[in-house]
Amino acid sequence: MPVNPQNPPLYKIAIIGSGPAGIYTAEMLSRHQAVVQAQLQISVDLIEQLPTPYGLIRYGVAPDHPRIKGIVDSLHRILDKKEARFTGSVRFGADLTLDELRDHYDAIVFATGAAKDAALDIPGTELRGFFGASSFVSWYDGHPDAPAEWPLDAEHVAVVGNGNVALDVARMLAKDPHDLSTTEVPAHIQRGLLDSRVKAVHVFGRRGPADAKFTPLELRELGEQAGVKVVVEADELTRSQWPDPATLSTNQARQNLATLEQWRDNPPEIDHSRSVHLYFFHTPISAEGEDTVRSMTFTRTVASPDGHTEGVTEGVPSVTYSVGQVYSAIGYRSAPLPNVPFDAAGGVIENIDGRVSAAGVPVQGLYATGWIKRGPVGLIGHTKSDAKQTVEHLMNDLLVMAPKNSSGDIRSLAQAKDLPWTSWEGWLRLDQEEKRQGEEHRDPSGVSKPRSRTKETSRHVMNHIASGKSDGTSWS
Ligand code: NAP
């Protein structure tokens, strides 16, 4: 398309979801060489269903991981440059349809992540006391849609899975809640954790220690919790399957194995009030109980040559553990979005390298990035390379199409529908208020313990503070 360098065409881009995937995409769009070289101009709207930005960093990273939470600072800097405009409290699919957005935007990027739990397909998951990890994570991270209270009423609890989420859940269940006093955990959640009856957390992996998905740093951290003893449960059957470290091909596996062997062979002798027990080669087959979980049963497994697991049946009975709660941490799933092609088997938006596709054919103007594009694996930094690929395709497509030149956008759509929204300035007000409350924070014994922020958990209060208006009727 011929371009007038004095007045390059303007394209409007909407990004749905303001977690790292959405924000990195916004940043890469604005830095793209086609923009820098004035081949085209872009305006980017980040549209978020929550009143606040940052997605999984705010509502998925555990409060005792300030280093990872610190990624917020760089995301803040990107949004503060106003290269993308934040609009919160507007739900794609519920408040706005795809067609409505398509009328005004030349490209729409879905960056909605993966917030649901993958289903553990065994009997007993309907019992009281059986939880998906994501609900517990939402609770301790103060998500506005999570319940205010969590029933931490069992002494022995099971965590199923051997990923970093399983370790987060195990650590938060076992940790002394006093150690959270300087974190951003909301006060009522810290009190809930202080009332917990949990004494022992039992973590079950279906494969062996060398195939665990958790990362070495996070594993070692489990052993650094004051008053928590880590026990590696290795009976004759499982011990005989522990690999020779020399045969391991990845650094992660070697480091994990070294830590686990250390704990197995030299169990730490520490004063403890709680313990975390790590079991390997245990595949869950059922949870049992009348109406509440009372126990969990596992078949013993061996790793098959292809890296999967096979049940060991002959001569090796299944094993049942008495537990009063189960947390299933076997991975996340993305939710399908209305009228956006979804690959149900893969749990992602159907896409070809970031271009949304239907039955293998790209759908013009629609893109995906982050976990909803490739599935819920990888650390936060991985979303950058992902965003780069999607942005490259998007920009190449824009360069050969005419802009819609619509005068409407998310704000005019919201206004027409009388939908209140939160803006970047509104978030800055809420951010400031949370930080102010954090400075005034006292721990449960009344001792002054300032922290980076105290998170507000009520959607209504968040919207109200963001509005900056005393009646809070019209947000912005
Ligand atoms: P994950 O790393 O994929 O781990 C899922 C675990 O569940 C695996 O151990 C898997 O075993 C197991 N599993 C799957 N299906 C199962 C079944 N039917 N029965 C029993 N076990 C089953 O997922 P995640 O823990 O949800 O983490 C998602 C991503 O977020 C990861 O990239 C993770 O590193 C990242 N994350 C990072 C941090 C951090 O602090 N750095 C914190 C949280 C999350 P198999 O391996 O045998 O399939």
Side-chain angles (χ1 to χ4, degrees), residues 65 162-165 168 206-207 213 218 330-331 371 376 378-379:
H65 274 175
N162 258 185
N164 279 330
V165 172
D168 276 352
R206 63 180 173 180
R207 296 197 280 162
K213 296 258 177 71
E218 278 64 31
I330 62 163
W371 278 4
L379 304 177

Side-chain angles (χ1 to χ4, degrees), residues 1 11 32 34 40 106-107 352-356 362-367 389-403:
M1 219 178 56
Y11 295 84
H32 193 273
L40 48 70
D106 298 287
I352 303 167
D353 296 339
R355 284 187 176 108
V356 174
V363 180
Q364 202 201 354
L366 301 189
Y367 303 85
Q389 185 190 51
T390 296
V391 165
E392 215 45 58
H393 287 312
L394 190 159
M395 283 300 197
N396 286 341
D397 293 348
L398 290 188
L399 284 166
V400 294
M401 67 183 244

Side-chain angles (χ1 to χ4, degrees), residues 307-467:
H308 291 92
T309 50
E310 292 164 353
V312 184
T313 43
E314 218 172 296
V316 183
S318 57
V319 54
T320 299
Y321 299 89
S322 293
V323 289
Q325 286 190 339
V326 178
Y327 293 82
S328 171
I330 62 163
Y332 288 142
R333 294 284 284 181
S334 294
L337 298 167
N339 299 318
V340 181
F342 196 72
D343 166 4
V348 293
I349 287 181
E350 196 187 322
N351 75 92
I352 303 167
D353 296 339
R355 284 187 176 108
V356 174
S357 60
V361 180
V363 180
Q364 202 201 354
L366 301 189
Y367 303 85
T369 194
W371 278 4
I372 193 135
K373 169 187 173 186
R374 66 185 153 86
V377 282
L379 304 177
I380 291 156
H382 294 136
T383 52
K384 280 192 185 173
S385 45
D386 211 24
K388 193 167 184 303
Q389 185 190 51
T390 296
V391 165
E392 215 45 58
H393 287 312
L394 190 159
M395 283 300 197
N396 286 341
D397 293 348
L398 290 188
L399 284 166
V400 294
M401 67 183 244
K404 285 198 167 116
N405 287 326
S406 162
S407 58
D409 61 15
I410 174 68
R411 298 285 172 91
S412 63
L413 279 170
Q415 226 143 18
K417 292 183 166 215
D418 206 15
L419 289 173
W421 70 81
T422 53
S423 63
W424 179 243
E425 290 69 30
W427 158 248
L428 293 181
R429 279 191 280 275
L430 176 58
D431 188 36
Q432 216 171 24
E433 175 58 18
E434 288 191 342
K435 286 176 174 161
R436 190 192 64 73
Q437 290 186 20
E439 277 167 24
E440 291 179 357
H441 172 68
R442 291 171 183 278
D443 81 359
S445 58
V447 177
S448 176
K449 283 261 174 80
R451 49 191 185 187
S452 56
R453 72 175 61 242
T454 295
K455 246 188 203 167
E456 180 51 64
T457 58
S458 148
R459 206 182 263 266
H460 178 74
V461 175
M462 282 194 268
N463 285 329
H464 183 75
I465 297 170
S467 78

